Amino acid sequence: MHLLFSPDEIREAEAPMLAACEAAGDPDRLMRQAAHGLTVHIARTVTRRPALGEPTVPAPASLAVQVEPSASSGARALPRGGLLRGARIVGLIGPGNNGGDGLYALAGLAGRGARCVAVMVADRWHERAAAAAREAGVEIVLHDQALDQLATADVIVDAVLGIGAKGGMPIPGWDAAAQRWAVDGEPLDALVVAADCPSGLNTATGAADELVPAADMTVTFGALKRGLAVGAAREKTGDIYLVEIGLQPPRDIRMMPRLVTPAEADRELLAPHASDHKYSRGVLGVLAGSPEYPGAAVLCAKAAADIGAHDAGRGGIGMLVSAGRGAGGSAVVQALPEVVAIERGELTKTEWPAAARKVSAWVVGPGLGDDPEDIEPALAVMRDSRGPVVVDASALAVWEPAGLHVLTPHAGEFAALAKRLGVKTAAPNEDPLTAARDLASETGAVVLLKGSATVIAGPDGATFVAASAAPTLARAGSGDKLAGVVGAMLATHAARATSSGGELSPERLTPERIAQLTAAAAVLHGVKYSAV
């Protein structure tokens, strides 16, 4: 997992290293290390492009962070010749350390044959870095020449504002109204590279106004910042490359948000034991769909049944119980003949059907609607289930705090739920990490806040980010599938954590562990269904 640092945590980690550099008489050593990583990625990307002047590649389908080893441990040689030599690289240079990073990177690129220009967008700049750039042959001009320089740029380096900014500023060449880089209204074909972060992006929350320019790739330094992984950042950063410079995480990392990778998520799929049977592998109950929305139950159930199918059955549930009504119930059985079907109304009785009593985790809510014949059984499951319950869609509107519950709202449902419960939270669209943590802390539930990056928070503050989903998942039915995948993941682990006496072991399936498993399921959902 990648730890997600706040700006303050970055500064705290940098402080002793900067002090050591200062004491050694080399105050810019970390800056040069960061700049070298920026240079490497620009050189490598330019060299691999089919031809300069072609439209740039759009932002990636999902956030995949690539790590570059520390430049202090034997830097890789930059590619020679190719498209880098003679390329026009224009750096927009701000007044602070971010501008210094850009200037040192331009110096490195100029040394490899690129024609580099530094456009000083402010009235002051990092003097030592500027001197190094001049010595390497970088042309330095003032901001009044910015548009002329950008008009012929092959590469634009955004090194105006760093991690301390919390809002964009007018930057030459960025047409905020059209959300594109342009000169005199004509779109630029240049490759746009952000140094550490797109200028003005809030690296604590991911918030970004229209003045924050979009990049094709972001080369970030030291550690991955929270605001690069969530919120509006997903539309601003492009590919993300992490250049390690030796930063050490805080001693206590338990409450630091973590970005879950697909490899880590895949490892959470359980392989069945030789002695397993259908009940011990995990039984998932699905209370989804209605006569008006029968398809939701099918999508949820099929996704749950398919979670381990890509890897020789690893992670697959042992049995699926569908509590249906009318067309919704029969549709699931037609799609999955192995499903055990029960009547939804039976769940409102004191004695549940035998199959329902075997369930180790439930999914409640997809396509449920608001008919009492559907809502009352959902309330019974949320109240009486001994295992985890994934609460989705319509069920969120009637949910009350109780049990091991995973809430799966999108931003609108989140706001409505928080208002109904009287819980004050951060705005889910502006600061999803804090918002999810707020709701989880106040309700005692695990909260999965859907978005371009999905945030999962446990009531104890443990927080995870799933960013494997592509924009293609923004369509009807994706949430139904997500609920099924989460339910299947929890059902298999709940069954494994159940003692021989039939009681769930709270030590083996804590709320923090449920949050971690939920995040893994969200990542697997994104990987599996983004391209479908």
Side-chain angles (χ1 to χ4, degrees), residues 27-28 31 93-97 99-101 103-104 107 120 122-135 140 142:
D28 292 349
M31 187 177 290
I93 305 300
N97 289 341
D101 296 332
L103 285 166
Y104 277 122
M120 307 307 205
D123 295 330
R124 58 184 177 86
W125 46 82
H126 194 287
E127 292 288 354
R128 291 188 300 273
R134 287 192 190 93
E135 185 177 351
I140 294 182
L142 300 180

Side-chain angles (χ1 to χ4, degrees), residues 490-525:
L490 296 181
T492 57
H493 281 267
R496 189 69 60 87
T498 298
S499 67
S500 57
E503 294 297 324
L504 189 65
S505 169
E507 294 80 16
R508 295 177 65 186
L509 202 62
T510 64
E512 179 177 356
R513 181 67 177 136
I514 290 174
Q516 187 176 10
L517 293 171
T518 298
V523 170
L524 294 174
H525 168 262

Side-chain angles (χ1 to χ4, degrees), residues 188-215:
L188 295 177
D189 288 337
L191 175 78
V192 180
V193 182
D196 212 11
C197 62
S199 287
L201 178 74
N202 188 322
T203 53
T205 67
D209 61 30
E210 68 279 0
L211 291 177
V212 175

Side-chain angles (χ1 to χ4, degrees), residues 1-3 37 40-41 44 64-71 76 218-224 240-246 259 261:
M1 294 186 184
H2 290 287
L3 292 174
V40 166
H41 287 295
R44 187 176 296 152
V65 179
Q66 301 187 44
V67 179
E68 182 70 28
S70 173
R76 299 179 185 177
T218 296
V219 181
T220 196
F221 313 130
L224 190 61
I240 296 178
Y241 297 88
L242 172 59
V243 176
E244 294 182 331
I245 58 175
L259 178 68
T261 67

Side-chain angles (χ1 to χ4, degrees), residues 64-473:
V65 179
Q66 301 187 44
V67 179
E68 182 70 28
S70 173
S72 64
S73 58
R76 299 179 185 177
L78 298 179
R80 294 182 178 276
L83 296 172
L84 179 61
R85 187 171 298 281
R88 278 189 54 80
I89 300 178
V90 177
L92 297 173
I93 305 300
N97 289 341
N98 190 249
D101 296 332
L103 285 166
Y104 277 122
L106 290 176
L109 291 162
R112 304 302 296 183
R115 295 178 296 153
C116 297
V117 179
V119 178
M120 307 307 205
V121 302
D123 295 330
R124 58 184 177 86
W125 46 82
H126 194 287
E127 292 288 354
R128 291 188 300 273
R134 287 192 190 93
E135 185 177 351
V138 177
E139 181 183 359
I140 294 182
V141 302
L142 300 180
H143 54 79
D144 59 352
Q145 298 184 42
L147 296 184
D148 290 339
Q149 297 294 336
L150 290 172
T152 57
D154 297 314
V155 180
I156 298 170
V157 179
D158 171 12
V160 179
L161 299 174
I163 64 173
K166 294 182 179 179
M169 59 173 281
I171 294 178
W174 175 247
D175 185 345
Q179 294 284 292
R180 67 185 185 188
W181 287 87
V183 172
D184 296 329
E186 291 297 317
L188 295 177
D189 288 337
L191 175 78
V192 180
V193 182
D196 212 11
C197 62
S199 287
L201 178 74
N202 188 322
T203 53
T205 67
D209 61 30
E210 68 279 0
L211 291 177
V212 175
D216 297 299
M217 61 185 259
T218 296
V219 181
T220 196
F221 313 130
L224 190 61
K225 288 76 178 174
R226 296 180 184 184
L228 295 178
V230 298
R234 295 296 303 282
E235 297 181 357
K236 298 290 187 178
T237 61
D239 289 297
I240 296 178
Y241 297 88
L242 172 59
V243 176
E244 294 182 331
I245 58 175
L247 292 189
Q248 297 300 309
R251 290 184 179 180
D252 186 359
I253 63 173
R254 291 174 301 168
M255 293 300 104
M256 290 184 71
R258 305 176 184 214
L259 178 68
V260 182
T261 67
E264 290 161 341
D266 195 67
R267 287 196 290 271
E268 296 291 5
L269 295 173
L270 295 177
H273 292 159
S275 60
D276 269 336
H277 47 79
K278 62 185 177 183
Y279 301 129
S280 64
R281 287 191 64 179
V283 180
L284 178 65
V286 173
L287 202 164
S290 60
E292 292 79 14
Y293 308 107
V298 175
L299 292 171
C300 180
K302 288 188 70 175
D306 288 346
I307 183 173
H310 72 291
D311 193 9
R314 196 164 59 89
I317 54 176
M319 185 168 126
L320 198 152
V321 175
S322 174
R325 180 171 75 90
S330 59
V332 174
V333 176
Q334 289 173 3
L336 296 167
E338 70 271 24
V339 163
V340 175
I342 62 174
E343 284 297 318
R344 184 168 293 173
E346 294 295 304
L347 297 173
T348 60
K349 298 179 180 179
T350 302
E351 184 73 10
W352 281 5
R357 296 198 300 272
K358 297 287 188 181
V359 169
S360 48
W362 284 90
V363 175
V364 175
L368 208 59
D370 57 4
D371 192 303
E373 289 186 76
D374 300 313
I375 293 299
E376 289 177 9
L379 289 169
V381 168
M382 290 188 284
R383 180 183 64 246
D384 298 332
S385 174
R386 293 181 298 173
V389 180
V390 180
V391 183
D392 187 54
S394 302
L396 291 166
V398 296
W399 177 81
E400 295 292 341
L404 295 172
H405 291 174
V406 177
L407 313 181
T408 63
H410 55 60
E413 292 168 334
F414 182 101
L417 177 61
K419 182 178 180 180
R420 180 172 66 81
L421 297 176
V423 174
K424 291 185 178 180
T425 71
N429 284 323
E430 296 177 7
D431 188 355
L433 279 170
T434 303
R437 281 179 160 177
D438 289 344
L439 188 61
S441 175
E442 291 294 325
T443 62
V446 171
V447 174
L448 180 154
L449 174 55
K450 300 172 187 173
S452 56
T454 291
V455 177
I456 300 91
D460 60 351
T463 310
F464 306 90
V465 175
S468 62
T472 52
L473 274 183

